[in-house]
Each structure stands twice: as structure tokens, then as C-alpha cells.
mmCIF file of all heavy atoms in Angstrom:
data_model
loop_
_atom_site.group_PDB
_atom_site.id
_atom_site.type_symbol
_atom_site.label_atom_id
_atom_site.label_comp_id
_atom_site.label_asym_id
_atom_site.label_seq_id
_atom_site.Cartn_x
_atom_site.Cartn_y
_atom_site.Cartn_z
ATOM 1 N N VAL A 1 0.822 -1.209 0.025
ATOM 2 C CA VAL A 1 -0.044 -0.004 -0.037
ATOM 3 C C VAL A 1 0.933 1.160 0.030
ATOM 4 O O VAL A 1 1.727 1.413 0.901
ATOM 5 C CB VAL A 1 -0.915 -0.001 1.259
ATOM 6 C CG1 VAL A 1 -1.716 1.289 1.221
ATOM 7 C CG2 VAL A 1 -1.844 -1.201 1.243
ATOM 8 N N PHE A 2 0.680 2.163 -0.964
ATOM 9 C CA PHE A 2 1.342 3.447 -0.960
ATOM 10 C C PHE A 2 0.211 4.512 -0.980
ATOM 11 O O PHE A 2 -0.540 4.583 -1.947
ATOM 12 C CB PHE A 2 2.157 3.569 -2.238
ATOM 13 C CG PHE A 2 3.357 2.708 -2.323
ATOM 14 C CD1 PHE A 2 3.701 1.994 -3.505
ATOM 15 C CD2 PHE A 2 4.191 2.580 -1.228
ATOM 16 C CE1 PHE A 2 4.839 1.230 -3.570
ATOM 17 C CE2 PHE A 2 5.367 1.804 -1.239
ATOM 18 C CZ PHE A 2 5.678 1.111 -2.411
ATOM 19 N N GLY A 3 0.114 5.279 0.137
ATOM 20 C CA GLY A 3 -0.904 6.288 0.188
ATOM 21 C C GLY A 3 -2.177 5.660 0.242
ATOM 22 O O GLY A 3 -2.568 4.813 1.104
ATOM 23 N N ASN A 4 -3.205 6.036 -0.659
ATOM 24 C CA ASN A 4 -4.498 5.520 -0.784
ATOM 25 C C ASN A 4 -4.688 4.502 -1.825
ATOM 26 O O ASN A 4 -5.815 4.192 -2.264
ATOM 27 C CB ASN A 4 -5.527 6.607 -0.906
ATOM 28 C CG ASN A 4 -5.394 7.345 -2.238
ATOM 29 O OD1 ASN A 4 -4.388 7.207 -2.887
ATOM 30 N ND2 ASN A 4 -6.311 8.231 -2.595
ATOM 31 N N LYS A 5 -3.534 3.898 -2.323
ATOM 32 C CA LYS A 5 -3.646 2.977 -3.353
ATOM 33 C C LYS A 5 -3.036 1.598 -2.988
ATOM 34 O O LYS A 5 -2.035 1.567 -2.242
ATOM 35 C CB LYS A 5 -2.989 3.449 -4.613
ATOM 36 C CG LYS A 5 -3.850 4.390 -5.435
ATOM 37 C CD LYS A 5 -3.188 4.722 -6.753
ATOM 38 C CE LYS A 5 -4.090 5.706 -7.601
ATOM 39 N NZ LYS A 5 -3.392 5.930 -8.906
ATOM 40 N N TYR A 6 -3.602 0.561 -3.503
ATOM 41 C CA TYR A 6 -3.018 -0.783 -3.380
ATOM 42 C C TYR A 6 -2.182 -1.029 -4.660
ATOM 43 O O TYR A 6 -2.692 -0.728 -5.785
ATOM 44 C CB TYR A 6 -4.103 -1.848 -3.242
ATOM 45 C CG TYR A 6 -5.034 -1.701 -2.139
ATOM 46 C CD1 TYR A 6 -6.234 -1.019 -2.223
ATOM 47 C CD2 TYR A 6 -4.710 -2.194 -0.773
ATOM 48 C CE1 TYR A 6 -7.068 -0.863 -1.140
ATOM 49 C CE2 TYR A 6 -5.553 -2.048 0.244
ATOM 50 C CZ TYR A 6 -6.731 -1.322 0.106
ATOM 51 O OH TYR A 6 -7.563 -1.180 1.160
ATOM 52 N N TRP A 7 -1.024 -1.599 -4.503
ATOM 53 C CA TRP A 7 -0.220 -1.837 -5.708
ATOM 54 C C TRP A 7 0.189 -3.332 -5.717
ATOM 55 O O TRP A 7 0.412 -3.925 -4.632
ATOM 56 C CB TRP A 7 1.089 -0.969 -5.576
ATOM 57 C CG TRP A 7 0.775 0.398 -5.967
ATOM 58 C CD1 TRP A 7 0.397 1.420 -5.043
ATOM 59 C CD2 TRP A 7 1.003 1.140 -7.125
ATOM 60 N NE1 TRP A 7 0.260 2.576 -5.612
ATOM 61 C CE2 TRP A 7 0.652 2.476 -6.962
ATOM 62 C CE3 TRP A 7 1.425 0.698 -8.397
ATOM 63 C CZ2 TRP A 7 0.654 3.387 -7.960
ATOM 64 C CZ3 TRP A 7 1.470 1.605 -9.450
ATOM 65 C CH2 TRP A 7 1.148 2.992 -9.277
ATOM 66 N N VAL A 8 0.270 -3.917 -6.824
ATOM 67 C CA VAL A 8 0.821 -5.251 -7.065
ATOM 68 C C VAL A 8 1.904 -5.172 -8.108
ATOM 69 O O VAL A 8 1.648 -4.692 -9.195
ATOM 70 C CB VAL A 8 -0.286 -6.234 -7.495
ATOM 71 C CG1 VAL A 8 0.325 -7.588 -7.808
ATOM 72 C CG2 VAL A 8 -1.329 -6.388 -6.477
ATOM 73 N N TYR A 9 3.113 -5.729 -7.716
ATOM 74 C CA TYR A 9 4.127 -5.791 -8.653
ATOM 75 C C TYR A 9 4.461 -7.357 -8.883
ATOM 76 O O TYR A 9 5.016 -8.009 -8.012
ATOM 77 C CB TYR A 9 5.454 -5.145 -8.088
ATOM 78 C CG TYR A 9 5.304 -3.693 -7.904
ATOM 79 C CD1 TYR A 9 4.632 -3.143 -6.711
ATOM 80 C CD2 TYR A 9 5.777 -2.744 -8.922
ATOM 81 C CE1 TYR A 9 4.462 -1.779 -6.565
ATOM 82 C CE2 TYR A 9 5.558 -1.383 -8.662
ATOM 83 C CZ TYR A 9 4.949 -0.876 -7.559
ATOM 84 O OH TYR A 9 4.784 0.492 -7.320
ATOM 85 N N PRO A 10 4.101 -7.791 -10.088
ATOM 86 C CA PRO A 10 4.410 -9.244 -10.297
ATOM 87 C C PRO A 10 5.521 -9.446 -11.275
ATOM 88 O O PRO A 10 6.066 -8.568 -11.974
ATOM 89 C CB PRO A 10 3.067 -9.692 -11.011
ATOM 90 C CG PRO A 10 2.659 -8.500 -11.777
ATOM 91 C CD PRO A 10 3.209 -7.264 -11.066
ATOM 92 N N THR A 11 5.930 -10.673 -11.361
ATOM 93 C CA THR A 11 6.806 -11.164 -12.470
ATOM 94 C C THR A 11 5.942 -11.383 -13.709
ATOM 95 O O THR A 11 4.830 -11.911 -13.684
ATOM 96 C CB THR A 11 7.466 -12.529 -12.117
ATOM 97 O OG1 THR A 11 8.291 -12.330 -10.972
ATOM 98 C CG2 THR A 11 8.214 -13.107 -13.261
ATOM 99 N N TYR A 12 6.465 -10.881 -14.905
ATOM 100 C CA TYR A 12 5.875 -11.256 -16.102
ATOM 101 C C TYR A 12 6.354 -12.606 -16.552
ATOM 102 O O TYR A 12 7.549 -12.892 -16.852
ATOM 103 C CB TYR A 12 6.225 -10.183 -17.223
ATOM 104 C CG TYR A 12 5.827 -10.620 -18.616
ATOM 105 C CD1 TYR A 12 4.512 -10.755 -18.972
ATOM 106 C CD2 TYR A 12 6.747 -10.821 -19.555
ATOM 107 C CE1 TYR A 12 4.059 -11.185 -20.236
ATOM 108 C CE2 TYR A 12 6.427 -11.256 -20.862
ATOM 109 C CZ TYR A 12 5.015 -11.375 -21.174
ATOM 110 O OH TYR A 12 4.640 -11.826 -22.455
ATOM 111 N N SER A 13 5.472 -13.567 -16.597
ATOM 112 C CA SER A 13 5.937 -14.978 -16.709
ATOM 113 C C SER A 13 5.933 -15.332 -18.244
ATOM 114 O O SER A 13 4.947 -15.352 -18.907
ATOM 115 C CB SER A 13 4.902 -15.893 -16.031
ATOM 116 O OG SER A 13 5.423 -17.194 -15.977
ATOM 117 N N ALA A 14 7.092 -15.625 -18.686
ATOM 118 C CA ALA A 14 7.336 -15.923 -20.162
ATOM 119 C C ALA A 14 8.669 -16.652 -20.272
ATOM 120 O O ALA A 14 9.359 -16.826 -19.267
ATOM 121 C CB ALA A 14 7.356 -14.668 -20.959
ATOM 122 N N PRO A 15 8.964 -17.189 -21.458
ATOM 123 C CA PRO A 15 10.307 -17.780 -21.641
ATOM 124 C C PRO A 15 11.344 -16.747 -21.273
ATOM 125 O O PRO A 15 11.183 -15.530 -21.442
ATOM 126 C CB PRO A 15 10.319 -18.066 -23.170
ATOM 127 C CG PRO A 15 8.908 -18.292 -23.514
ATOM 128 C CD PRO A 15 8.114 -17.391 -22.658
ATOM 129 N N TYR A 16 12.413 -17.201 -20.588
ATOM 130 C CA TYR A 16 13.374 -16.319 -20.009
ATOM 131 C C TYR A 16 13.886 -15.214 -20.915
ATOM 132 O O TYR A 16 14.090 -14.067 -20.513
ATOM 133 C CB TYR A 16 14.538 -17.117 -19.436
ATOM 134 C CG TYR A 16 14.203 -17.848 -18.200
ATOM 135 C CD1 TYR A 16 15.202 -18.737 -17.646
ATOM 136 C CD2 TYR A 16 13.013 -17.790 -17.574
ATOM 137 C CE1 TYR A 16 14.949 -19.418 -16.449
ATOM 138 C CE2 TYR A 16 12.746 -18.470 -16.407
ATOM 139 C CZ TYR A 16 13.769 -19.364 -15.843
ATOM 140 O OH TYR A 16 13.439 -19.960 -14.695
ATOM 141 N N ASN A 17 14.142 -15.449 -22.233
ATOM 142 C CA ASN A 17 14.573 -14.448 -23.091
ATOM 143 C C ASN A 17 13.544 -13.467 -23.413
ATOM 144 O O ASN A 17 13.900 -12.368 -23.991
ATOM 145 C CB ASN A 17 15.066 -15.137 -24.404
ATOM 146 C CG ASN A 17 16.424 -15.917 -24.208
ATOM 147 O OD1 ASN A 17 17.135 -15.576 -23.269
ATOM 148 N ND2 ASN A 17 16.672 -16.864 -25.076
ATOM 149 N N GLU A 18 12.246 -13.679 -23.104
ATOM 150 C CA GLU A 18 11.180 -12.706 -23.252
ATOM 151 C C GLU A 18 10.837 -12.060 -21.966
ATOM 152 O O GLU A 18 10.037 -11.103 -21.942
ATOM 153 C CB GLU A 18 9.975 -13.407 -23.794
ATOM 154 C CG GLU A 18 10.162 -14.084 -25.304
ATOM 155 C CD GLU A 18 9.004 -14.881 -25.691
ATOM 156 O OE1 GLU A 18 7.871 -14.626 -25.166
ATOM 157 O OE2 GLU A 18 9.162 -15.639 -26.573
ATOM 158 N N GLN A 19 11.373 -12.538 -20.902
ATOM 159 C CA GLN A 19 10.987 -12.092 -19.539
ATOM 160 C C GLN A 19 11.994 -10.862 -19.202
ATOM 161 O O GLN A 19 12.885 -10.979 -18.334
ATOM 162 C CB GLN A 19 11.161 -13.164 -18.540
ATOM 163 C CG GLN A 19 10.354 -13.015 -17.270
ATOM 164 C CD GLN A 19 10.429 -14.346 -16.460
ATOM 165 O OE1 GLN A 19 9.939 -15.339 -16.956
ATOM 166 N NE2 GLN A 19 10.941 -14.291 -15.308
ATOM 167 N N VAL A 20 11.712 -9.716 -19.879
ATOM 168 C CA VAL A 20 12.709 -8.616 -19.817
ATOM 169 C C VAL A 20 12.064 -7.343 -19.380
ATOM 170 O O VAL A 20 12.654 -6.239 -19.558
ATOM 171 C CB VAL A 20 13.304 -8.492 -21.232
ATOM 172 C CG1 VAL A 20 14.237 -9.607 -21.629
ATOM 173 C CG2 VAL A 20 12.257 -8.194 -22.337
ATOM 174 N N PHE A 21 10.934 -7.437 -18.744
ATOM 175 C CA PHE A 21 10.243 -6.178 -18.198
ATOM 176 C C PHE A 21 9.316 -6.524 -17.103
ATOM 177 O O PHE A 21 9.035 -7.771 -16.826
ATOM 178 C CB PHE A 21 9.498 -5.490 -19.293
ATOM 179 C CG PHE A 21 8.387 -6.233 -19.881
ATOM 180 C CD1 PHE A 21 7.099 -6.139 -19.315
ATOM 181 C CD2 PHE A 21 8.524 -7.043 -21.008
ATOM 182 C CE1 PHE A 21 6.021 -6.898 -19.842
ATOM 183 C CE2 PHE A 21 7.385 -7.765 -21.484
ATOM 184 C CZ PHE A 21 6.119 -7.662 -20.862
ATOM 185 N N MET A 22 8.842 -5.572 -16.354
ATOM 186 C CA MET A 22 7.909 -5.756 -15.302
ATOM 187 C C MET A 22 6.801 -4.713 -15.459
ATOM 188 O O MET A 22 7.070 -3.574 -15.663
ATOM 189 C CB MET A 22 8.550 -5.586 -13.926
ATOM 190 C CG MET A 22 9.528 -6.784 -13.618
ATOM 191 S SD MET A 22 10.302 -6.628 -12.052
ATOM 192 C CE MET A 22 11.094 -8.194 -11.965
ATOM 193 N N ASP A 23 5.567 -5.206 -15.264
ATOM 194 C CA ASP A 23 4.356 -4.302 -15.142
ATOM 195 C C ASP A 23 4.006 -4.137 -13.792
ATOM 196 O O ASP A 23 4.398 -4.903 -12.899
ATOM 197 C CB ASP A 23 3.178 -4.997 -15.961
ATOM 198 C CG ASP A 23 3.413 -5.045 -17.431
ATOM 199 O OD1 ASP A 23 4.191 -4.301 -18.069
ATOM 200 O OD2 ASP A 23 2.950 -6.086 -18.078
ATOM 201 N N ALA A 24 3.220 -3.136 -13.446
ATOM 202 C CA ALA A 24 2.662 -2.986 -12.129
ATOM 203 C C ALA A 24 1.043 -2.694 -12.260
ATOM 204 O O ALA A 24 0.649 -2.326 -13.368
ATOM 205 C CB ALA A 24 3.312 -1.776 -11.366
ATOM 206 N N PHE A 25 0.315 -2.876 -11.180
ATOM 207 C CA PHE A 25 -1.099 -2.690 -11.234
ATOM 208 C C PHE A 25 -1.489 -1.956 -9.935
ATOM 209 O O PHE A 25 -0.913 -2.220 -8.790
ATOM 210 C CB PHE A 25 -1.819 -4.134 -11.208
ATOM 211 C CG PHE A 25 -1.515 -4.880 -12.524
ATOM 212 C CD1 PHE A 25 -0.402 -5.621 -12.603
ATOM 213 C CD2 PHE A 25 -2.348 -4.718 -13.563
ATOM 214 C CE1 PHE A 25 -0.109 -6.276 -13.775
ATOM 215 C CE2 PHE A 25 -2.129 -5.504 -14.774
ATOM 216 C CZ PHE A 25 -1.024 -6.241 -14.908
ATOM 217 N N SER A 26 -2.415 -0.956 -10.051
ATOM 218 C CA SER A 26 -2.863 -0.265 -8.864
ATOM 219 C C SER A 26 -4.294 -0.217 -8.773
ATOM 220 O O SER A 26 -5.048 -0.325 -9.832
ATOM 221 C CB SER A 26 -2.269 1.150 -8.907
ATOM 222 O OG SER A 26 -2.821 1.891 -10.051
ATOM 223 N N SER A 27 -4.842 0.001 -7.581
ATOM 224 C CA SER A 27 -6.292 0.033 -7.327
ATOM 225 C C SER A 27 -6.574 0.756 -6.091
ATOM 226 O O SER A 27 -5.780 0.774 -5.147
ATOM 227 C CB SER A 27 -6.799 -1.385 -7.199
ATOM 228 O OG SER A 27 -8.208 -1.395 -6.844
ATOM 229 N N THR A 28 -7.749 1.459 -6.100
ATOM 230 C CA THR A 28 -8.203 2.113 -4.882
ATOM 231 C C THR A 28 -9.184 1.286 -4.064
ATOM 232 O O THR A 28 -9.506 1.655 -2.972
ATOM 233 C CB THR A 28 -8.724 3.507 -5.203
ATOM 234 O OG1 THR A 28 -9.890 3.286 -6.112
ATOM 235 C CG2 THR A 28 -7.737 4.478 -5.817
ATOM 236 N N ASP A 29 -9.670 0.261 -4.680
ATOM 237 C CA ASP A 29 -10.752 -0.486 -4.068
ATOM 238 C C ASP A 29 -10.569 -2.088 -4.151
ATOM 239 O O ASP A 29 -11.478 -2.772 -3.657
ATOM 240 C CB ASP A 29 -12.093 -0.174 -4.719
ATOM 241 C CG ASP A 29 -12.133 -0.387 -6.190
ATOM 242 O OD1 ASP A 29 -11.220 -0.916 -6.781
ATOM 243 O OD2 ASP A 29 -13.167 0.073 -6.844
ATOM 244 N N LEU A 30 -9.441 -2.458 -4.680
ATOM 245 C CA LEU A 30 -9.210 -3.899 -4.847
ATOM 246 C C LEU A 30 -10.083 -4.598 -5.805
ATOM 247 O O LEU A 30 -10.198 -5.826 -5.906
ATOM 248 C CB LEU A 30 -9.215 -4.670 -3.476
ATOM 249 C CG LEU A 30 -8.207 -4.297 -2.486
ATOM 250 C CD1 LEU A 30 -8.388 -5.001 -1.100
ATOM 251 C CD2 LEU A 30 -6.794 -4.579 -3.022
ATOM 252 N N VAL A 31 -10.931 -3.771 -6.582
ATOM 253 C CA VAL A 31 -11.832 -4.326 -7.530
ATOM 254 C C VAL A 31 -11.474 -3.957 -8.916
ATOM 255 O O VAL A 31 -11.296 -4.715 -9.819
ATOM 256 C CB VAL A 31 -13.305 -3.866 -7.215
ATOM 257 C CG1 VAL A 31 -14.279 -4.382 -8.266
ATOM 258 C CG2 VAL A 31 -13.757 -4.408 -5.897
ATOM 259 N N HIS A 32 -11.225 -2.667 -9.143
ATOM 260 C CA HIS A 32 -10.878 -2.103 -10.410
ATOM 261 C C HIS A 32 -9.422 -1.823 -10.340
ATOM 262 O O HIS A 32 -8.844 -1.140 -9.520
ATOM 263 C CB HIS A 32 -11.622 -0.821 -10.699
ATOM 264 C CG HIS A 32 -13.165 -1.052 -10.546
ATOM 265 N ND1 HIS A 32 -13.826 -0.641 -9.404
ATOM 266 C CD2 HIS A 32 -14.055 -1.464 -11.387
ATOM 267 C CE1 HIS A 32 -15.101 -1.027 -9.611
ATOM 268 N NE2 HIS A 32 -15.281 -1.494 -10.822
ATOM 269 N N TRP A 33 -8.675 -2.329 -11.364
ATOM 270 C CA TRP A 33 -7.213 -2.280 -11.418
ATOM 271 C C TRP A 33 -6.702 -1.535 -12.679
ATOM 272 O O TRP A 33 -7.301 -1.707 -13.741
ATOM 273 C CB TRP A 33 -6.661 -3.656 -11.436
ATOM 274 C CG TRP A 33 -6.865 -4.435 -10.158
ATOM 275 C CD1 TRP A 33 -7.948 -5.199 -9.795
ATOM 276 C CD2 TRP A 33 -5.995 -4.365 -9.023
ATOM 277 N NE1 TRP A 33 -7.706 -5.591 -8.534
ATOM 278 C CE2 TRP A 33 -6.600 -5.180 -8.031
ATOM 279 C CE3 TRP A 33 -4.732 -3.769 -8.724
ATOM 280 C CZ2 TRP A 33 -6.049 -5.369 -6.711
ATOM 281 C CZ3 TRP A 33 -4.159 -3.947 -7.473
ATOM 282 C CH2 TRP A 33 -4.802 -4.697 -6.476
ATOM 283 N N SER A 34 -5.793 -0.681 -12.452
ATOM 284 C CA SER A 34 -5.094 0.044 -13.575
ATOM 285 C C SER A 34 -3.690 -0.622 -13.859
ATOM 286 O O SER A 34 -2.983 -0.868 -12.907
ATOM 287 C CB SER A 34 -4.943 1.525 -13.299
ATOM 288 O OG SER A 34 -6.164 2.120 -13.019
#
């Protein structure tokens, strides 16, 4: 939790040579995610 938002930082699961970045997801209500 940062401030008033929930954040999730996952591994992008793919073959290792394609696993070269990370996405993040945020939500204020745990229902709708950006």
C-alpha cells in the first residue's frame, strides 16, 4: 500500500529471453485495477 492505493508488482511470466520487463497494477478498491 502506498498512500491511498493498493499496488501489485508481479513477475511477467514468459520464456526467459522474453522475460525482460515488469508491469505494475494499482487500485483504490481492490476491484478495479489500472
